[in-house]
Amino acid sequence: MEWQQIFIKDFDGAAALEIVVRTLIMFIFVLLLLRASGKKGVRQLSIFEVAIIIALGSAAGDPMFHEDDAIIPSLVVFAAILAFYRLLTWLAAKNEKFESVLEGDPVVIIENGEIVLNNKGKSPFAKDEFFAEMRGKGIEHMGQVRLGILETNGSVSFFYFPDEEVKPGLPVLPSTHTVECSEISEEGLYSCCYCGTTGPLHTGKHICKRCGQEKWAKSLNCPRIT
């Protein structure tokens, strides 16, 4: 096996220098285009804008290390992407329906301490990832949350119950601090580990009437500390 052919081939110092120069040029133009888009952070990007970034990366990638690809055609692609982006955002600002198609709509994922299910009784998001978002906001259990909304840019907005109105809810702590069980050994308040439905359960096995799941966790009822 020719290791030099695999790793180096006809690569030399001049080729390395050319790649460095091409990469710096394209990287600067990527930064300039992102700056022109008006966005300040990844958390502000919608799905549409992520698609624009992917297209931008594809246009920038080839001229960085393919000596047969000139830089100027890629800059034309950059200009077209920026013009297309500006046109679509202008149209979205003028038409709410078009904006909804382009950017999507906010989605309510928690309402009154329970996960909102779709018409098939399924949760429309990854529960563990969402629970991590809740822990990052100092939320200990779902009974503290009146409303949770997944925004179009991927962030999550929470609206809380006042302390005196907090109700028992599903813990969002990691598995090391939450005991899940499929059979209740002690009577008390329990929450469905899938949808957050909460109520008193006696000993034995139970199926959640809301989502059909069988795993439960002991409910928490502590107020949220701000």
Side-chain angles (χ1 to χ4, degrees), residues 50-70:
V50 170
I52 292 292
I53 298 301
I54 292 173
L56 184 63
S58 178
D62 288 344
M64 287 183 180
F65 59 90
H66 289 165
E67 60 182 20
D68 293 334
D69 294 326

Side-chain angles (χ1 to χ4, degrees), residues 31-82:
L31 289 179
L32 290 176
L33 191 144
L34 290 176
R35 186 69 184 87
S37 74
K39 292 294 177 179
K40 298 183 181 297
V42 174
R43 294 286 290 181
Q44 295 175 302
L45 297 180
S46 65
I47 293 177
F48 159 66
E49 288 159 340
V50 170
I52 292 292
I53 298 301
I54 292 173
L56 184 63
S58 178
D62 288 344
M64 287 183 180
F65 59 90
H66 289 165
E67 60 182 20
D68 293 334
D69 294 326
I71 290 179
I72 294 301
S74 289
L75 299 186
V76 174
V77 174
F78 278 24
I81 290 174
L82 181 58

